[in-house]
PDB file of all heavy atoms in Angstrom:
ATOM      1  N   HIS A  70      29.853  29.604 -16.599  1.00  0.00           N
ATOM      2  CA  HIS A  70      29.100  28.469 -17.110  1.00  0.00           C
ATOM      3  C   HIS A  70      29.941  27.636 -18.030  1.00  0.00           C
ATOM      4  O   HIS A  70      29.954  26.378 -17.953  1.00  0.00           O
ATOM      5  CB  HIS A  70      27.864  28.985 -17.800  1.00  0.00           C
ATOM      6  CG  HIS A  70      26.725  29.378 -16.883  1.00  0.00           C
ATOM      7  ND1 HIS A  70      26.005  28.507 -16.222  1.00  0.00           N
ATOM      8  CD2 HIS A  70      26.349  30.596 -16.435  1.00  0.00           C
ATOM      9  CE1 HIS A  70      25.077  29.039 -15.404  1.00  0.00           C
ATOM     10  NE2 HIS A  70      25.312  30.406 -15.618  1.00  0.00           N
ATOM     11  N   ARG A  73      32.353  25.562 -16.013  1.00  0.00           N
ATOM     12  CA  ARG A  73      31.722  24.336 -15.387  1.00  0.00           C
ATOM     13  C   ARG A  73      31.302  23.292 -16.432  1.00  0.00           C
ATOM     14  O   ARG A  73      31.450  22.094 -16.180  1.00  0.00           O
ATOM     15  CB  ARG A  73      30.432  24.823 -14.581  1.00  0.00           C
ATOM     16  CG  ARG A  73      29.910  23.684 -13.779  1.00  0.00           C
ATOM     17  CD  ARG A  73      28.762  24.133 -12.814  1.00  0.00           C
ATOM     18  NE  ARG A  73      27.667  24.685 -13.529  1.00  0.00           N
ATOM     19  CZ  ARG A  73      26.600  25.320 -12.992  1.00  0.00           C
ATOM     20  NH1 ARG A  73      26.611  25.526 -11.671  1.00  0.00           N
ATOM     21  NH2 ARG A  73      25.589  25.778 -13.692  1.00  0.00           N
ATOM     22  N   ARG A 155      19.514  12.646  -2.269  1.00  0.00           N
ATOM     23  CA  ARG A 155      20.396  13.148  -3.329  1.00  0.00           C
ATOM     24  C   ARG A 155      21.483  12.112  -3.663  1.00  0.00           C
ATOM     25  O   ARG A 155      21.967  11.478  -2.686  1.00  0.00           O
ATOM     26  CB  ARG A 155      21.054  14.535  -2.894  1.00  0.00           C
ATOM     27  CG  ARG A 155      21.886  15.226  -3.816  1.00  0.00           C
ATOM     28  CD  ARG A 155      21.275  15.343  -5.200  1.00  0.00           C
ATOM     29  NE  ARG A 155      20.860  16.719  -5.621  1.00  0.00           N
ATOM     30  CZ  ARG A 155      19.956  16.851  -6.523  1.00  0.00           C
ATOM     31  NH1 ARG A 155      19.364  15.864  -7.183  1.00  0.00           N
ATOM     32  NH2 ARG A 155      19.639  18.028  -6.923  1.00  0.00           N
ATOM     33  N   ILE A 163      26.406  14.897  -8.372  1.00  0.00           N
ATOM     34  CA  ILE A 163      25.575  16.056  -8.887  1.00  0.00           C
ATOM     35  C   ILE A 163      26.447  17.288  -9.223  1.00  0.00           C
ATOM     36  O   ILE A 163      25.987  18.156  -9.955  1.00  0.00           O
ATOM     37  CB  ILE A 163      24.466  16.446  -7.781  1.00  0.00           C
ATOM     38  CG1 ILE A 163      23.214  17.001  -8.477  1.00  0.00           C
ATOM     39  CG2 ILE A 163      24.985  17.269  -6.707  1.00  0.00           C
ATOM     40  CD1 ILE A 163      22.478  16.082  -9.293  1.00  0.00           C
ATOM     41  N   LYS A 166      27.221  18.079 -14.226  1.00  0.00           N
ATOM     42  CA  LYS A 166      25.900  18.536 -14.635  1.00  0.00           C
ATOM     43  C   LYS A 166      25.467  17.818 -15.935  1.00  0.00           C
ATOM     44  O   LYS A 166      25.515  18.395 -17.041  1.00  0.00           O
ATOM     45  CB  LYS A 166      25.864  20.092 -14.902  1.00  0.00           C
ATOM     46  CG  LYS A 166      24.571  20.683 -14.761  1.00  0.00           C
ATOM     47  CD  LYS A 166      24.644  22.234 -14.627  1.00  0.00           C
ATOM     48  CE  LYS A 166      23.383  22.877 -15.002  1.00  0.00           C
ATOM     49  NZ  LYS A 166      22.134  22.465 -14.304  1.00  0.00           N
ATOM     50  N   TYR A 171      19.689  14.180 -13.645  1.00  0.00           N
ATOM     51  CA  TYR A 171      18.451  14.954 -13.195  1.00  0.00           C
ATOM     52  C   TYR A 171      17.279  13.953 -13.081  1.00  0.00           C
ATOM     53  O   TYR A 171      16.185  14.460 -12.652  1.00  0.00           O
ATOM     54  CB  TYR A 171      18.201  16.108 -14.250  1.00  0.00           C
ATOM     55  CG  TYR A 171      19.067  17.282 -13.894  1.00  0.00           C
ATOM     56  CD1 TYR A 171      20.451  17.163 -14.138  1.00  0.00           C
ATOM     57  CD2 TYR A 171      18.695  18.357 -13.252  1.00  0.00           C
ATOM     58  CE1 TYR A 171      21.345  18.171 -13.757  1.00  0.00           C
ATOM     59  CE2 TYR A 171      19.452  19.384 -12.840  1.00  0.00           C
ATOM     60  CZ  TYR A 171      20.823  19.274 -13.207  1.00  0.00           C
ATOM     61  OH  TYR A 171      21.699  20.290 -12.798  1.00  0.00           O
ATOM     62  N   GLU A 200      20.136  20.119  -1.495  1.00  0.00           N
ATOM     63  CA  GLU A 200      19.661  21.180  -2.345  1.00  0.00           C
ATOM     64  C   GLU A 200      18.247  20.909  -2.861  1.00  0.00           C
ATOM     65  O   GLU A 200      17.667  19.857  -2.501  1.00  0.00           O
ATOM     66  CB  GLU A 200      20.652  21.414  -3.464  1.00  0.00           C
ATOM     67  CG  GLU A 200      20.837  20.261  -4.314  1.00  0.00           C
ATOM     68  CD  GLU A 200      21.841  20.457  -5.415  1.00  0.00           C
ATOM     69  OE1 GLU A 200      22.264  21.553  -5.770  1.00  0.00           O
ATOM     70  OE2 GLU A 200      22.108  19.453  -6.131  1.00  0.00           O
ATOM     71  N   SER A 202      15.695  20.321  -6.459  1.00  0.00           N
ATOM     72  CA  SER A 202      15.959  19.472  -7.485  1.00  0.00           C
ATOM     73  C   SER A 202      16.879  20.053  -8.562  1.00  0.00           C
ATOM     74  O   SER A 202      17.697  19.487  -9.073  1.00  0.00           O
ATOM     75  CB  SER A 202      14.652  19.075  -8.185  1.00  0.00           C
ATOM     76  OG  SER A 202      14.069  20.191  -8.738  1.00  0.00           O
ATOM     77  N   GLY A 203      16.706  21.465  -8.768  1.00  0.00           N
ATOM     78  CA  GLY A 203      17.543  22.157  -9.675  1.00  0.00           C
ATOM     79  C   GLY A 203      17.970  23.525  -9.135  1.00  0.00           C
ATOM     80  O   GLY A 203      18.008  24.524  -9.981  1.00  0.00           O
ATOM     81  N   ALA A 204      18.148  23.679  -7.860  1.00  0.00           N
ATOM     82  CA  ALA A 204      18.540  24.912  -7.209  1.00  0.00           C
ATOM     83  C   ALA A 204      19.181  24.754  -5.950  1.00  0.00           C
ATOM     84  O   ALA A 204      19.125  23.668  -5.296  1.00  0.00           O
ATOM     85  CB  ALA A 204      17.228  25.750  -6.986  1.00  0.00           C
ATOM     86  N   THR A 205      19.991  25.768  -5.552  1.00  0.00           N
ATOM     87  CA  THR A 205      20.760  25.763  -4.292  1.00  0.00           C
ATOM     88  C   THR A 205      19.829  26.114  -3.190  1.00  0.00           C
ATOM     89  O   THR A 205      19.014  27.068  -3.348  1.00  0.00           O
ATOM     90  CB  THR A 205      21.950  26.635  -4.466  1.00  0.00           C
ATOM     91  OG1 THR A 205      22.789  26.144  -5.504  1.00  0.00           O
ATOM     92  CG2 THR A 205      22.830  26.680  -3.154  1.00  0.00           C
ATOM     93  N   LEU A 224      25.313  20.831  -6.577  1.00  0.00           N
ATOM     94  CA  LEU A 224      26.039  21.391  -7.708  1.00  0.00           C
ATOM     95  C   LEU A 224      26.766  22.622  -7.233  1.00  0.00           C
ATOM     96  O   LEU A 224      26.272  23.348  -6.413  1.00  0.00           O
ATOM     97  CB  LEU A 224      24.968  21.760  -8.816  1.00  0.00           C
ATOM     98  CG  LEU A 224      25.637  22.332 -10.099  1.00  0.00           C
ATOM     99  CD1 LEU A 224      26.291  21.252 -10.884  1.00  0.00           C
ATOM    100  CD2 LEU A 224      24.518  23.008 -10.900  1.00  0.00           C
ATOM    101  N   SER A 226      27.114  25.793  -7.537  1.00  0.00           N
ATOM    102  CA  SER A 226      26.244  26.725  -8.271  1.00  0.00           C
ATOM    103  C   SER A 226      26.893  28.088  -8.434  1.00  0.00           C
ATOM    104  O   SER A 226      27.581  28.622  -7.556  1.00  0.00           O
ATOM    105  CB  SER A 226      25.003  26.951  -7.441  1.00  0.00           C
ATOM    106  OG  SER A 226      24.412  28.275  -7.528  1.00  0.00           O
ATOM    107  N   ILE A 227      26.695  28.726  -9.600  1.00  0.00           N
ATOM    108  CA  ILE A 227      27.238  29.984  -9.948  1.00  0.00           C
ATOM    109  C   ILE A 227      26.473  31.142  -9.222  1.00  0.00           C
ATOM    110  O   ILE A 227      27.121  32.082  -8.659  1.00  0.00           O
ATOM    111  CB  ILE A 227      27.236  30.198 -11.428  1.00  0.00           C
ATOM    112  CG1 ILE A 227      28.231  29.154 -12.116  1.00  0.00           C
ATOM    113  CG2 ILE A 227      27.568  31.627 -11.873  1.00  0.00           C
ATOM    114  CD1 ILE A 227      28.060  28.861 -13.545  1.00  0.00           C
ATOM    115  N   THR A 228      25.191  30.959  -9.041  1.00  0.00           N
ATOM    116  CA  THR A 228      24.369  31.920  -8.335  1.00  0.00           C
ATOM    117  C   THR A 228      24.837  31.875  -6.782  1.00  0.00           C
ATOM    118  O   THR A 228      24.975  32.972  -6.182  1.00  0.00           O
ATOM    119  CB  THR A 228      22.898  31.622  -8.355  1.00  0.00           C
ATOM    120  OG1 THR A 228      22.633  31.239  -9.727  1.00  0.00           O
ATOM    121  CG2 THR A 228      22.102  32.790  -7.956  1.00  0.00           C
ATOM    122  N   CYS A 264      18.114  29.299  -4.951  1.00  0.00           N
ATOM    123  CA  CYS A 264      18.718  30.173  -5.895  1.00  0.00           C
ATOM    124  C   CYS A 264      19.362  29.381  -7.013  1.00  0.00           C
ATOM    125  O   CYS A 264      19.636  28.186  -6.880  1.00  0.00           O
ATOM    126  CB  CYS A 264      19.756  31.115  -5.252  1.00  0.00           C
ATOM    127  SG  CYS A 264      21.295  30.335  -4.861  1.00  0.00           S
ATOM    128  N   GLY A 265      19.467  30.027  -8.161  1.00  0.00           N
ATOM    129  CA  GLY A 265      20.038  29.359  -9.367  1.00  0.00           C
ATOM    130  C   GLY A 265      19.812  30.227 -10.457  1.00  0.00           C
ATOM    131  O   GLY A 265      19.024  31.254 -10.574  1.00  0.00           O
ATOM    132  N   SER A 266      20.487  29.864 -11.614  1.00  0.00           N
ATOM    133  CA  SER A 266      20.305  30.741 -12.810  1.00  0.00           C
ATOM    134  C   SER A 266      18.901  30.696 -13.249  1.00  0.00           C
ATOM    135  O   SER A 266      18.369  31.733 -13.727  1.00  0.00           O
ATOM    136  CB  SER A 266      21.145  30.104 -13.966  1.00  0.00           C
ATOM    137  OG  SER A 266      22.559  30.005 -13.549  1.00  0.00           O
TER     138      SER A 266
HETATM  139  N1  LIG B 420      21.687  22.690  -8.227  1.00  0.00           N
HETATM  140  C1  LIG B 420      21.274  21.986  -9.258  1.00  0.00           C
HETATM  141  C2  LIG B 420      20.991  20.521  -9.253  1.00  0.00           C
HETATM  142  C3  LIG B 420      20.998  22.702 -10.504  1.00  0.00           C
HETATM  143  O1  LIG B 420      20.512  22.073 -11.565  1.00  0.00           O
HETATM  144  C4  LIG B 420      21.165  24.100 -10.481  1.00  0.00           C
HETATM  145  C5  LIG B 420      20.885  24.936 -11.730  1.00  0.00           C
HETATM  146  N2  LIG B 420      21.944  24.881 -12.660  1.00  0.00           N
HETATM  147  C6  LIG B 420      21.626  24.775  -9.357  1.00  0.00           C
HETATM  148  C7  LIG B 420      21.870  23.990  -8.203  1.00  0.00           C
HETATM  149  C8  LIG B 420      21.952  26.207  -9.367  1.00  0.00           C
HETATM  150  O2  LIG B 420      23.139  26.461 -10.162  1.00  0.00           O
HETATM  151  P1  LIG B 420      23.411  27.765 -10.931  1.00  0.00           P
HETATM  152  O3  LIG B 420      23.367  28.796  -9.864  1.00  0.00           O
HETATM  153  O4  LIG B 420      24.817  27.590 -11.387  1.00  0.00           O
HETATM  154  O5  LIG B 420      22.431  27.836 -11.921  1.00  0.00           O
END
Side-chain angles (χ1 to χ4, degrees):
H70 282 283
R73 189 170 65 189
R155 185 46 110 201
I163 208 72
K166 200 166 164 55
Y171 279 71
E200 59 181 351
S202 68
T205 300
L224 181 73
S226 149
I227 292 162
T228 318
C264 75
S266 307

